[in-house]
Amino acid sequence: MEFKSFNLAGPLEIIPTKLGDKRGYFVETFREDSFRKAAGSVNFVQENQSLSAKVGTIRGLHFQTNPMAQGKLVRCVSGAILDVAVDLRHGSPTYGKWVTAELTSEKLNQLWVPAGFAHGFCTLLPDTVVSYKVTNYYSPENDKGVLWNDPAIAITWPDVADAETLSGKDRVQPLLNDLPVYFTLEG
């Protein structure tokens, strides 16, 4: 397994080693000891899965606030996505900056999105299935977001991104500059 860092401290792209032959392949999708060495002490408590039927479906940008903040380990089980993590840690030199990784069912790569980051994605293929492990349980009271196309963040979304696919909740998320201080660099 290879752990690739970005120019923002925290998120990691995880690229598994694929062992294949004429029958197909075998891959470790998660290995706790390797993950902890790269990402720190993390415990996953819930796993979620979504299906997006249409190319260009946008989900996010979502996060949960303390004490229910979540780290997410995101994997594309079928299809492909452009996965996005946005730094929401006040005091961070990369506050409001973002990273992306194209996650596909062929590459089997994953994106680690630590607590303190917003997360979202856009589907690149039809009938895309995304699975993600989270470090805290879903909490409606702590469920927050930031507008997917906030010009202060200026994410470069793929051309297929379709605002018509947004949920009602995601259409009215606040701008980055209107968010209270939910996270700080220290924790």
Side-chain angles (χ1 to χ4, degrees):
M1 230 176 243
E2 177 187 349
F3 292 83
K4 179 183 149 200
S5 59
F6 295 91
N7 58 350
L8 275 71
L12 297 168
E13 182 179 4
I14 300 146
I15 304 156
T17 302
K18 207 188 251 192
L19 305 171
D21 59 25
K22 63 183 177 182
R23 299 169 298 165
Y25 67 83
F26 171 84
V27 66
E28 288 182 346
T29 59
F30 179 76
R31 186 176 165 112
E32 185 179 28
D33 59 347
S34 298
F35 186 83
R36 282 180 181 237
K37 185 176 179 184
S41 182
V42 174
N43 293 311
F44 295 106
V45 299
Q46 182 177 317
E47 188 163 356
N48 307 312
Q49 185 167 303
S50 69
L51 166 69
S52 299
K54 186 178 177 194
V55 171
T57 298
I58 303 161
R59 295 184 185 257
L61 301 162
H62 304 141
F63 60 94
Q64 283 192 181
T65 58
N66 289 316
M68 301 301 289
Q70 293 179 326
K72 296 179 181 180
L73 181 58
V74 184
R75 180 166 69 106
C76 187
V77 178
S78 177
I81 62 172
L82 181 73
D83 209 26
V84 180
V86 179
D87 189 351
L88 298 180
R89 301 167 300 165
H90 280 266
S92 168
T94 56
Y95 176 78
K97 304 291 185 211
W98 48 273
V99 296
T100 63
E102 186 174 313
L103 306 182
T104 72
S105 56
E106 287 184 9
K107 289 194 298 190
L108 301 169
N109 57 333
Q110 300 176 69
L111 183 65
W112 165 239
V113 181
F117 285 76
H119 171 256
F121 63 84
C122 177
T123 61
L124 303 174
L125 293 172
D127 299 319
T128 291
V129 177
V130 176
S131 177
Y132 49 102
K133 293 173 172 44
V134 294
T135 60
N136 221 329
Y137 297 107
Y138 174 71
S139 170
E141 305 83 47
N142 300 90
D143 184 16
K144 307 291 181 199
V146 63
L147 194 63
W148 73 283
N149 63 348
D150 183 340
I153 301 171
I155 295 168
T156 305
W157 291 98
D159 291 341
V160 296
D162 182 0
E164 294 302 312
T165 64
L166 287 163
S167 69
K169 177 179 95 171
D170 288 345
R171 290 174 191 267
V172 296
Q173 294 288 9
L175 297 170
L176 179 69
N177 292 333
D178 295 333
L179 289 181
V181 176
Y182 288 124
F183 307 102
T184 61
L185 187 58
E186 296 79 39

